[in-house]
Amino acid sequence: MANAIKKSGDGLALQITRSARAATLVDEDDNNTATRLAKTRIHAFEGLLVAVDVDRVPDDVEADLVATAATDTNTAYRAVTATIQIAGNGYQLQLPNAVDAGLDEGDTPTVTTAPGVLIIAHNETDTGITSVRVGEDLATIRREQHTEASR
């Protein structure tokens, strides 16, 4: 079952332990103790948040993902920075711009991962845009970018 967006501090957050590991947004030692927690820039679009590791994803790659998301959703809202945090037995990400994207407490968004990127998609939007599909497309683009860069 997907994690639900919860209140945390003055805003909203999402528990992302498995997703953070899959997207390499955290580094851990052999005891699963965090040795690095990514600083992310979270971009908001209609029904969609795209969190990018600012230290591991080049600016031009980030710009390409943002431009694609803006084109596919016909929206672009504010971007904010947030650091992955240790919470309970795992990790969470503060989502100060979740409401901009139409996400609220109790929502259980689809989370898609790609190298250095976490895509949080609302399962339903007012505009009829399939945010989950856009998120999957963005993840595919990022995986291809990562493969190209590795060659």
Side-chain angles (χ1 to χ4, degrees), residues 83-96:
T83 302
I84 307 286
Q85 301 170 331
I86 296 173
N89 293 323
Y91 306 106
Q92 75 176 12
L93 181 61
Q94 292 295 127
L95 303 173

Side-chain angles (χ1 to χ4, degrees), residues 38-71:
K39 177 181 176 187
T40 64
R41 190 169 12 258
I42 306 171
H43 300 273
F45 308 92
E46 179 65 36
L48 193 69
L49 295 171
V50 180
V52 179
D53 184 332
V54 299
D55 294 323
R56 292 191 173 167
V57 176
D59 291 343
D60 61 326
V61 169
E62 179 179 358
D64 185 42
L65 292 171
V66 168
T68 300
T71 300

Side-chain angles (χ1 to χ4, degrees), residues 127-140:
T127 61
I129 296 167
T130 308
S131 300
V132 173
R133 182 198 52 80
V134 174
E136 290 169 353
D137 291 350
L138 292 172
T140 298

